[in-house]
Amino acid sequence: MLGTIRVSGAKNAALPAMAAALLTDEPVTLENIPQVRDIETTRKLLAAMGAEVELGYGRAQHRTTICARNLTSPEASYELVKQMRASSLVLGPLLARCGRARVSLPGGCAIGARPIDLHIKGLEQLGAKITQDHGYVEATADRLKGGEISFEKITVTGTEDLLMAATLADGESVLHNCAREPEVADLAELLNKMGALIEGAGTPTIRVKGVGKLHGAKHRIIPDRIEAGTFIIAGALTGGDMNIAGCEPAHLDVLIAKLHEVGVKTAQSADTVRVMGDGPFKASDIITQEYPGFPTDMQAQYMALATQAEGTSVITENIFENRFMHVSELMRMGANIRIEGRRAIVRGKTPLSAAAVLASDLRASASLLLAALVAEGESIIDRVYHIDRGYEHIEEKLKGVGAQIRRIGEILPKKAAAPSRV
Ligand code: UD1
């Protein structure tokens, strides 16, 4: 594949940013919002609470303005939460702003149990009263009180949820053992623009001085490092020469260092990574870890590359207990992989042959797509709606650099035809 492919805004930064708009009665304008299904789900979620959500169209299609002036119903229904687990991000902001929140418990998903107990414990430490009934979390608090929270385990959305709640609490909060993901730092930047007083986001300890009120702001979402990483691997696998433009190379350091070990050549400028994948590739182990470690969200895509590397790659998944759903599908395409608990042992290089495969979750679908790009013949990937949750118009982007790919099933509306105010 040859040419330039542009990275969209980070879904995982856009979701908490949209939830943050619940913290103020003034409009919050977000730019570089990716057009993916999880954003549409969040729009429905916020609209159901009474927020006005204006999605851009035409040239402004990546902008959204949210005004949560009238929050008539501080609730997140099971109907929406089951479509997107990150819906639990509204718990903290709703509680801080409205003094109450009713949010459905998400339940497990394809990659693991994924409880939200740490969100709940943290909010209780800020003085919330929380009960669980009929599959819902009910939280109330007159006004949250600043406190000291130490996360037992590092959680990305848990850190974000608590960070948002703490902005409107009475007094100072100190959050320990926080997630250091760039998406957390991006959220803090938005919150500070809204008048919050946050220090230390992006480090393990975040200090928040609570304020009485937040105001509107305008903010540009950071580029999607997982989408960028997926395209870098696509370029490497296909022996291409591709520019991945509009990304933040600093957020890709660990991935790029690993790819160098594998034998992938890259060059970087301020916002572009050039990938030259002329191989041969050699096997190299990875262990997924919290940022700045190797991201779990790149594990499945890396595995597709590992099938094309000479030798044995041991892939250890540390974050989620069941994130190897792509393995059996890759094996159906000819990969030699054995699972031992949390480790997948990939022996390469094996030629891949096209097959009809089933996507099980967002990043697994990306892995199957990457494998299909180098497999002999025409592959069909079913349940492609998983990929639409987090990749914007992926088939068009890949077609633009030479992939032969077309969508034959359901298709998302390409662009909003007219402004929609809900
Ligand atoms: C976020 C990302 C997701 C990524 C993941 C790990 C978003 C919207 N999603 O998900 O793409 O794969 O980080 O980088 O940003 N846990 C608990 N109790 C809790 C919360 C988490 O036990 O209350 C566990 C989880 O089950 C998991 C681990 O902690 O094993 C990390 O999960 P977490 O960082 O919370 O993932 P998400 O924020 O859901």
Side-chain angles (χ1 to χ4, degrees), residues 11-12 15 85-86 89 113-119 153-158 160 181 296-297 319-321 323 363:
K11 166 185 85 79
N12 285 356
L15 299 179
R85 306 181 40 83
L89 278 168
R114 307 187 73 178
I116 57 163
D117 56 316
L118 302 175
H119 301 229
K153 194 172 182 178
I154 298 177
T155 157
V156 178
T157 48
E160 292 165 346
E181 267 68 0
T296 173
D297 283 352
I319 307 292
F320 294 112
E321 61 272 27
R323 204 170 199 179
R363 305 305 169 186

Side-chain angles (χ1 to χ4, degrees), residues 1 28 34 40 43 53 76 89-90 92 99 117 153 162 174 193 196 216 236 243 280 289 319 325 332 340 388:
M1 299 201 298
V28 172
E40 181 59 21
R43 184 187 69 78
V53 186
L89 278 168
V90 300
D117 56 316
K153 194 172 182 178
L162 267 296
V174 185
K193 284 182 190 164
N243 285 314
Q289 278 163 338
I319 307 292
M325 304 284 282
R332 291 184 55 246
E340 284 178 4
D388 294 327

Side-chain angles (χ1 to χ4, degrees), residues 267-282:
Q268 291 175 30
S269 62
D271 72 345
T272 300
V273 174
R274 180 176 170 199
V275 55
M276 294 148 283
D278 51 2
F281 302 134
K282 46 183 188 302

Side-chain angles (χ1 to χ4, degrees), residues 22 97 113 149 161 198 226 229 294 305 319 349 385 408 420:
L22 295 171
R97 168 87 189 285
I149 294 166
D161 210 3
I198 302 168
I226 306 301
F294 191 98
L305 180 65
I319 307 292
K349 161 185 184 179
Y385 52 83
I408 53 177
S420 72

